[in-house]
């Protein structure tokens, strides 16, 4: 405990664990709250079906539109007497699952293509450039609506669309980082030592850019959550009988005058979650990677 | 004895960025260069920025292909960059960079990085590799404590020693050093130069030592080649170059090197624009800045002629110049 | 400059063609459009008539070139709901959308940009923190939540503003506020960082080091240089307002283009959907092109950047 206050230069190489603990102690309050909220959300997502007191489609016409705080229904019931809390928990699960899937998918595709573009140049680079133009010309929600009109709305389509729309950002990032590493930096040096491109990317470039990629993933995770809830709100994402935060609000708005709680509970969850992710992402960016703007 | 590396009439042309409505421009970075380096020998390549000296280094190592002419490494042509044979050949030829911090992976320890070529080329057992890392680190003058550090925890000189150790780990026969000491403090430069000399004595490695600074190579070069806008304008044994430069450009360079106890009174100051490889003057590229240029220099490119003392000079006026100097 | 403009124009055209091709291919990917639109129970004669009308019996490249040609002729096909040509149907909705987006744009720029600049000038002050907070809120609260909460407060609880439809100017108040809230945050955040970047530049330090009054430093050196990055916001804003109008028009039952898009998507009215898709692309491409050209004209440096 004594060396905690000593200047960093005097500490003899603290272990990774003790450095992590020290870092945790210095967390700002907002980041602590945000992390706690996100942790809670992920626990809920994992245990939604265990935690939910009722089946999500269990209709109880005797207790329709029960206000929050009533015994047995903490968050009230909806127009069909379904328990709002149970629906909320399951919705958190599906919204987070979709957002996580889309984020991982687009990060993986984008990073691989970005590295390929850095190594092969030519065709890949033009493809990425074309994609930048395409995205600048078509807001995501418009494209998603159009595709849903043609192909039909479903969860796989939604995840695919969000991954399709997100990969370009990672590709550009990965390409830029790889190029600068190869141009005059350590990756070029290692290539010159005779390492295979695979070894250069896996052992040198990927570990060095992972901080930046994680920050980007975090920051775009909140956008993905918002995009999913927006589309589900418009009736395009998750379809009945499944439930997501966005479509709970979409259906809840019809009862805005009589039962605003149906819509307010998921609205609060979306807002707090995307806020927490943004806070965490900004903090991570400042800590890990000052180069991303 | 056959040379380790040999370049025959090598040129390297870059295509500049043309737009959709702009014609492509071509930059001749290296033009018609021939040289050779033998075992245990150091050839210094001297030139201003834009003289093509770094590109020449890349071409010699096979990192960039020659547009014309050929490079032979131990009497065999170089394999195309990125091919399997090319990769395997890397164990035998190495490059030292100007900026050691950029050349080292910021995340790995120095020991891991020195080991890297051994891992890549699967030289020896794990124990032998660890032993070789210790050995080569000692050879370049790194302390054992440095091995567990990361690059940012070392000084500039120590980092460059780590880069040298990494390059020497696989016991290469050719080392190309591209401005290896220009990023270092002057006080450290001499130490690192001495390290190179010691390594060469121990291993017999052939070295191509690229620098913009003639005085840096004074204590290490056996021969010096001076480049101007992609061409070698003079090449001779180091003591000959320093004692009796013949090409007007070399004369200017040599006269700018301070000699203790001697005033810089008769210094030749170069006039005119610094060279721009994208806009190469006609004839002898040096003529706009040359104090003794005549009409012929504007129109025809002087050949690199061999004359006495293993010397080669490319100047129409060498006889006259010599006469004037005498 | 000429060559830059031409290159950029060609790229804009290529983008437009890309979106048209995209619309064409998802149209074909969706399976047999005849069955998709008329349903599997439709009589064969109706299916064949539909296929004939859409040219689905011809070879692929003929279909494609006919499709492209008809779009350049302004023929987007007929709406499948009421049989009227799609283009006029969409165009008649445009004024309603503009009556929301233009006031929102003005509101956003007149509040967002000054807020961001003032925040940057008083860095770390209470004002700065408030702007950052508002910007983050605008960034993280979805616009449909903002809209519904506003309805809950002003229409349901207080009963002072209508919750939807089009009538007096009062009907526009909540939709415009909803739309602006999100984009004001975005613009304020962006202009704050643009201004901060300019303020940290060496020439600002040089200007104040030579004894210029701080006010003149801002007026003569900082603001003119901050204008340039701010220009890109306008291109950004067009996209975000178009996207926002879809959600806002849906919440407030505003009879604009966004709501027509939602209705057409729900009814799978493909002609109208692709018409809106392509019109929005044209608008966005024009906006981006204008911003790029303006920027290149004001700042010669950016011309080379666009090539890289």
């Amino acid at each position: 405990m004594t060396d905690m206050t000593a200047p960093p230069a005097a500490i003899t190489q603290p272990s990774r664990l003790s450095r992590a603990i020290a870092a945790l102690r210095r967390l700002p309050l907002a980041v602590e709250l945000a992390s706690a909220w996100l942790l809670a959300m992920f626990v809920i997502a994992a245990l939604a079906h265990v935690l939910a007191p009722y089946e999500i489609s269990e209709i109880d016409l005797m207790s329709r539109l029960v206000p929050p705080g009533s015994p047995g229904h903490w968050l009230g019931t909806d127009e069909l007497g379904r328990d709002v809390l149970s629906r909320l928990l399951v919705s958190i699960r599906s919204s987070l699952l979709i957002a996580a899937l889309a984020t991982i998918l687009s990060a993986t595709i984008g990073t691989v293509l970005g590295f390929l573009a850095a190594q092969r140049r030519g065709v890949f680079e033009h493809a990425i450039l074309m994609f930048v133009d395409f995205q600048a010309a078509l807001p995501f929600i418009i494209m998603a609506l159009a595709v849903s009109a043609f192909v039909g709305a479903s969860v796989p389509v939604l995840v695919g669309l969000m991954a399709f729309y997100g990969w370009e950002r990672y590709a550009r990032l990965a390409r830029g980082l790889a190029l600068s590493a190869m141009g005059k930096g350590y990756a070029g040096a290692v290539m010159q030592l005779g390492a295979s491109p695979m070894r250069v990317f896996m052992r040198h470039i990927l570990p060095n850019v992972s901080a930046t990629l994680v920050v980007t993933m975090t920051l775009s995770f909140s956008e993905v959550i918002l995009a999913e809830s927006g589309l589900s709100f418009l009736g395009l994402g998750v379809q009945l009988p499944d439930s997501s935060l966005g479509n709970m609000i979409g259906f809840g708005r019809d009862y805005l005058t009589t039962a605003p709680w149906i819509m307010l509970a998921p609205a609060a969850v979306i807002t707090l979650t995307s806020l927490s992710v943004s806070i965490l992402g900004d903090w991570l960016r400042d800590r890990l990677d000052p180069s991303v703007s | 004895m056959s040379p380790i590396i040999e370049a025959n009439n090598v040129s390297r042309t870059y295509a500049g960025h043309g737009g959709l409505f702009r014609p492509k421009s071509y930059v001749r970075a290296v033009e018609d260069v021939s040289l050779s380096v033998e075992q245990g020998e150091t050839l210094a390549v001297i030139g201003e920025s834009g003289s093509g000296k770094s590109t020449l280094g890349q071409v010699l190592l096979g990192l960039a292909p020659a547009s014309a002419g050929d490079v032979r490494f131990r009497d065999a042509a170089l394999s195309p960059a990125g091919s399997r044979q090319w990769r395997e050949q890397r164990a035998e030829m190495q490059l030292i960079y100007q900026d050691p911090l950029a050349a080292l992976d910021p995340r790995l320890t120095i020991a891991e990085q020195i080991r890297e070529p051994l891992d890549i080329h699967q030289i020896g057992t794990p124990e032998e590799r660890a032993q070789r890392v210790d050995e080569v680190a000692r050879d370049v003058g790194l302390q054992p404590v440095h091995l567990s550090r990361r690059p940012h925890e070392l000084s500039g000189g120590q980092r460059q020693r780590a880069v040298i150790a990494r390059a020497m780990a696989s016991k290469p026969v050719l080392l190309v050093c591209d401005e290896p000491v220009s990023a270092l403090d002057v006080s450290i430069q001499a130490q690192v130069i001495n390290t190179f000399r010691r390594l060469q004595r121990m291993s017999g490695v052939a070295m191509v030592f690229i620098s913009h600074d003639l005085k840096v190579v004074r204590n290490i070069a056996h021969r010096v080649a001076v480049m101007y806008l992609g061409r070698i304008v003079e090449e001779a044994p180091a003591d000959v170059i320093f004692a009796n430069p013949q090409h007007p450009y070399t004369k200017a360079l040599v006269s700018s090197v301070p000699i203790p106890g001697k005033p810089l009174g008769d210094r030749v100051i170069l006039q005119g624009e610094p060279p721009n490889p994208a806009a190469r003057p006609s004839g002898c590229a040096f003529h706009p800045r040359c104090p003794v240029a005549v009409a012929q220099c504007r129109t025809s490119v002087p050949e690199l002629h061999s004359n006495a003392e293993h010397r080669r000079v490319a100047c129409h006026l060498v006889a006259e110049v010599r006469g004037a100097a005498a | 400059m000429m060559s830059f403009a031409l290159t950029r124009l060609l790229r804009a055209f290529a983008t437009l063609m890309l979106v048209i091709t995209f619309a064409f291919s998802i149209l074909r990917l969706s399976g047999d459009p005849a069955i998709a639109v008329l349903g599997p129970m439709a009589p064969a004669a109706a299916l064949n008539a539909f296929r004939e009308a859409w040219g689905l019996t011809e070879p692929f490249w003929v279909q494609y070139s006919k499709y492209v040609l008809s779009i350049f002729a302004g023929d987007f096909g007929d709406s499948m709901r009421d049989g009227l040509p799609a283009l006029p149907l969409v165009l008649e909705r445009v004024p309603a959308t503009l009556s929301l987006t233009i006031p929102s744009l003005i509101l956003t720029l007149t509040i967002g940009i000054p807020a961001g600049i003032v925040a940057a000038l008083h860095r770390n002050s209470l004002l700065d923190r408030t702007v950052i907070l508002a910007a983050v809120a605008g960034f993280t609260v979805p616009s449909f939540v903002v809209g519904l909460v506003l309805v809950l407060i002003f229409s349901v609880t207080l009963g002072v503003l209508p919750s939807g439809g089009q009538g007096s100017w009062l009907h526009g108040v909540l939709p415009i506020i909803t739309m602006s809230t999100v984009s004001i945050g975005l613009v304020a955040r962006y202009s704050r960082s643009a201004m901060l970047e300019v303020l940290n530049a060496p020439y600002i330090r040089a200007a104040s080091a030579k004894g210029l009054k701080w006010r003149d430093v801002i007026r003569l050196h900082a603001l003119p240089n901050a204008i340039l990055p701010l220009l890109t916001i306008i291109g950004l804003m067009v996209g975000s307002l178009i996207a926002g109008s879809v959600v806002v028009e849906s919440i407030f039952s505003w009879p604009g283009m966004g709501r027509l898009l939602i209705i057409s998507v729900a009814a799978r009215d493909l002609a109208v959907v692709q018409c809106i898709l392509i019109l929005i692309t044209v608008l966005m491409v024009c906006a981006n092109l204008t911003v790029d050209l303006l920027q290149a004209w004001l700042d010669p440096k950016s011309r080379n950047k666009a090539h890289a």
Side-chain angles (χ1 to χ4, degrees):
Chain A
M1 256 359 304
T2 47
D3 62 0
M4 240 49 258
T5 47
I11 304 174
T12 50
Q13 290 288 317
S15 74
R16 258 163 208 238
L17 187 69
S18 68
R19 265 188 292 181
I21 292 170
L24 268 178
R25 287 212 182 117
R26 288 193 297 268
L27 280 184
L29 182 66
V31 177
E32 275 177 359
L33 289 177
S35 316
W37 174 264
L38 287 177
L39 196 67
M41 286 302 110
F42 279 103
V43 169
I44 287 172
L47 304 174
H49 288 286
V50 185
L51 292 174
Y54 298 87
E55 281 293 309
I56 57 157
S57 45
E58 191 179 313
I59 295 172
D60 179 3
L61 293 175
M62 297 304 290
S63 45
R64 289 159 58 185
L65 300 178
V66 170
S70 318
H73 297 288
W74 289 4
L75 290 178
T77 60
D78 67 5
E79 74 281 7
L80 293 173
R82 296 174 299 189
D83 183 47
V84 171
L85 178 64
S86 303
R87 290 187 71 75
L88 186 68
L89 295 179
V90 174
S91 299
I92 290 171
R93 178 202 184 93
S94 47
S95 288
L96 283 190
L97 200 65
I98 290 172
L101 262 178
T103 306
I104 292 169
L105 211 59
S106 55
T108 313
I109 297 173
T111 308
V112 169
L113 286 178
F115 282 166
L116 277 176
Q119 215 220 326
R120 298 273 153 80
R121 318 294 296 266
V123 182
F124 283 101
E125 288 191 326
H126 284 296
I128 291 177
L129 203 65
M130 218 159 80
F131 223 81
V132 177
D133 284 356
F134 181 82
Q135 296 203 344
L138 204 53
F140 173 69
I141 200 165
I142 306 289
M143 185 202 65
L145 280 166
V147 172
S148 310
F150 292 121
V151 187
S154 66
V155 172
V157 169
L158 185 65
V159 171
L161 276 176
M162 292 199 291
F164 172 72
Y165 216 71
W167 71 261
E168 171 265 342
R169 180 190 302 204
Y170 297 97
R172 261 199 299 173
L173 189 72
R175 175 182 161 272
L177 294 169
L179 274 184
S180 77
M182 288 199 306
K184 51 182 177 179
Y186 53 90
V190 177
M191 266 188 167
Q192 193 280 132
L193 291 176
S196 62
M198 193 64 173
R199 182 185 171 97
V200 176
F201 283 118
M202 296 310 286
R203 184 168 154 86
H204 295 281
I205 297 182
L206 195 58
N208 275 297
V209 303
S210 59
T212 313
L213 285 176
V214 165
V215 170
T216 309
M217 277 172 80
T218 314
L219 289 173
S220 67
F221 189 73
S222 97
E223 283 169 43
V224 171
I225 288 178
L226 291 180
E228 183 276 323
S229 64
L231 286 175
S232 295
F233 170 78
L234 294 172
L236 290 166
V238 174
Q239 301 293 304
L240 286 175
D242 286 327
S243 175
S244 84
L245 295 171
N247 83 1
M248 271 185 89
I249 301 177
F251 289 108
R253 68 192 257 213
D254 295 338
Y255 299 90
L256 196 61
T257 41
T258 48
W261 57 85
I262 301 176
M263 167 244 140
L264 284 176
V269 171
I270 291 178
T271 305
L272 284 174
T273 306
S274 80
L275 183 67
S276 301
V277 175
S278 294
I279 291 173
L280 198 66
D282 278 341
W283 179 78
L284 274 178
R285 178 180 59 193
D286 294 344
R287 291 308 302 265
L288 293 176
D289 190 87
S291 69
V292 196
S293 56
Chain B
M1 193 168 65
S2 69
I4 297 283
I5 188 99
E6 193 177 4
N8 297 313
N9 306 98
V10 164
S11 297
R12 167 96 182 132
T13 309
Y14 287 112
H17 277 289
L20 201 48
F21 301 99
R22 257 186 304 165
K24 274 194 177 170
S25 57
Y26 290 94
V27 177
R28 286 174 292 177
V30 172
E31 212 177 350
D32 199 17
V33 165
S34 300
L35 54 80
S36 69
V37 188
E38 291 180 4
Q39 195 186 350
E41 187 189 33
T42 299
L43 171 71
V45 177
I46 299 294
E48 291 169 278
S49 67
S51 63
K53 57 190 193 303
S54 291
T55 306
L56 178 62
Q58 304 252 312
V59 172
L60 289 178
L61 284 173
L63 296 172
S67 328
D70 70 328
V71 177
R72 298 182 75 77
F73 177 70
R74 289 177 146 177
D75 275 338
L78 288 174
S79 304
S83 66
R84 196 180 176 79
Q85 295 91 326
W86 180 87
R87 286 215 300 269
E88 283 164 5
Q89 213 166 36
R90 294 305 102 195
E92 298 180 291
M93 49 210 300
Q94 287 290 339
L95 176 63
I96 306 282
Y97 300 83
Q98 173 172 4
D99 180 1
L101 187 57
L104 293 168
D105 190 324
R107 220 180 33 85
L108 298 178
T109 64
I110 298 303
E112 284 173 303
Q113 312 217 30
I114 295 177
R115 228 177 98 108
E116 184 114 39
L118 305 176
D119 291 341
I120 291 170
H121 300 290
Q122 302 185 340
I123 301 170
T125 62
E127 296 78 43
E128 284 167 355
R129 290 179 199 173
Q131 210 180 340
R132 175 69 185 143
V133 169
D134 290 342
E135 189 181 289
V136 77
R138 201 174 49 240
D139 289 348
V140 300
L142 282 176
Q143 306 293 318
V145 294
H146 295 144
L147 288 176
S148 58
R149 304 240 171 108
R150 275 163 238 280
H152 63 92
E153 296 167 322
L154 298 183
S155 73
Q158 289 163 347
R159 283 180 206 136
Q160 192 58 294
R161 288 174 195 275
V163 171
I164 297 168
R166 178 174 67 180
M168 295 302 291
S170 60
K171 301 184 177 166
V173 296
L174 172 68
L175 203 56
V176 173
C177 312
D178 189 356
E179 301 267 12
V181 297
S182 17
L184 304 178
D185 289 345
V186 178
S187 57
I188 310 289
Q189 284 186 354
Q191 292 176 19
V192 173
I193 294 280
N194 286 336
T195 303
F196 277 119
R197 289 179 62 170
R198 193 172 66 244
L199 287 171
Q200 190 173 46
R201 252 199 331 271
M202 284 163 45
S203 66
V205 66
M207 292 209 288
V208 175
F209 198 100
I210 297 166
S211 179
H212 67 276
D213 192 348
L214 206 52
K215 63 179 180 293
V216 164
V217 305
R218 188 160 206 156
N219 290 320
I220 189 165
H222 300 105
R223 277 186 300 132
V224 175
V226 178
M227 285 185 79
Y228 192 84
L229 280 179
R231 283 174 176 272
I232 291 183
V233 295
E234 182 163 6
E235 192 207 321
D239 44 350
V240 175
I241 279 262
F242 282 103
N244 180 19
Q246 290 197 344
H247 193 281
Y249 180 57
T250 319
K251 278 176 181 284
L253 291 183
V254 170
S255 80
S256 70
V257 176
I259 298 166
K262 196 179 159 209
L264 278 173
D266 52 353
R267 218 177 138 175
V268 183
I269 309 279
L270 281 178
Q271 305 292 322
E273 297 284 308
N276 171 12
R280 222 187 127 86
S282 64
C284 173
F286 185 59
H287 83 257
R289 300 168 80 190
C290 184
V292 293
V294 295
Q296 188 192 8
C297 302
R298 262 178 278 267
T299 50
S300 78
V301 182
E303 301 255 329
L304 190 59
H305 282 300
S306 294
N307 55 17
E309 304 169 288
H310 311 288
R311 179 204 286 273
R312 295 190 295 166
V313 189
C315 181
H316 293 306
L317 300 159
V318 160
E320 288 87 324
V321 169
R322 207 183 203 170
Chain C
M1 180 67 205
M2 244 355 255
S3 119
F4 171 81
L6 268 171
T7 314
R8 201 60 200 78
L9 205 66
L10 262 177
R11 258 176 74 182
F13 183 75
T15 308
L16 185 61
M17 285 308 296
L18 194 68
V19 173
I20 291 175
T21 311
F22 170 76
F24 176 79
S25 44
I26 51 172
L27 193 69
R28 292 297 172 274
L29 268 180
S30 56
D32 188 346
I35 294 177
V37 171
L38 302 178
M41 308 302 280
L47 287 175
N48 283 334
F50 182 91
R51 289 191 185 115
E52 204 63 45
W54 280 74
L56 297 177
T57 46
E58 286 168 290
F60 190 79
W61 66 270
V62 176
Q63 287 185 37
Y64 178 70
S65 32
K66 275 194 174 169
Y67 178 81
V68 174
L69 283 177
S70 66
I71 278 177
F72 280 105
D75 174 15
F76 293 85
D78 295 339
S79 161
M80 287 150 207
R81 283 189 306 139
D82 43 20
L84 296 171
L87 185 61
L89 209 62
V90 174
L91 287 180
E92 77 177 29
R93 299 292 195 111
V94 170
T97 298
L98 287 183
S99 70
L100 286 188
T101 43
I102 289 177
S104 300
L105 185 66
I106 294 171
L107 209 62
T108 302
L109 296 180
T110 48
I111 296 178
I113 293 180
I117 288 178
V118 169
L121 288 177
H122 300 88
R123 203 177 176 183
N124 292 332
S125 67
L126 186 66
L127 188 78
D128 186 26
R129 278 162 207 281
T130 316
V131 169
I132 294 175
L133 195 73
V136 171
F139 209 63
T140 52
V141 185
S143 59
F144 54 89
V145 169
V146 175
L148 291 178
V149 169
L150 285 176
V151 168
L152 195 58
I153 296 171
F154 292 100
S155 311
V156 178
T157 312
L158 299 176
V160 286
L161 286 168
S163 66
Q166 205 179 16
S168 69
W169 63 272
L170 280 175
H171 285 84
V173 173
L174 288 184
I176 290 172
I177 293 179
T178 305
M179 243 186 191
S180 319
T181 313
V182 177
S183 43
I184 286 175
L186 224 71
V187 168
R189 185 180 156 120
Y190 190 91
S191 21
R192 178 177 175 274
S193 58
M195 189 68 187
L196 276 182
E197 198 165 305
V198 170
L199 287 178
N200 286 331
Y203 55 81
I204 294 295
R205 253 177 293 146
S208 50
K210 76 183 179 197
L212 208 59
K213 265 193 222 137
W214 185 238
R215 258 176 62 189
D216 291 331
V217 173
I218 301 298
R219 191 170 54 85
L220 296 173
H221 296 276
L223 286 179
N225 282 297
I227 299 261
L228 216 60
L230 289 180
L231 207 62
T232 32
I233 297 187
I234 298 171
L236 233 81
M237 286 309 307
V238 176
S240 113
L241 284 175
I242 287 174
S245 72
V246 174
V247 174
V248 169
E249 286 177 14
S250 159
I251 296 172
F252 294 98
S253 317
W254 191 267
M257 203 163 73
R259 189 146 175 271
L260 180 66
L261 179 61
I262 300 280
I263 294 169
S264 306
V265 167
R268 309 200 75 178
D269 193 341
L270 304 186
V272 176
V273 172
Q274 58 159 340
C275 179
I276 294 177
L277 183 76
I278 288 162
L279 283 187
I280 287 178
T281 308
V282 171
L283 180 69
M284 293 285 294
V285 164
C286 289
N288 290 337
L289 188 65
T290 315
V291 168
D292 274 6
L293 292 182
L294 260 176
Q295 203 164 23
W297 180 54
L298 292 171
D299 177 19
K301 254 194 309 186
S302 68
R303 281 175 226 167
N304 296 324
K305 236 183 272 169
H307 277 291

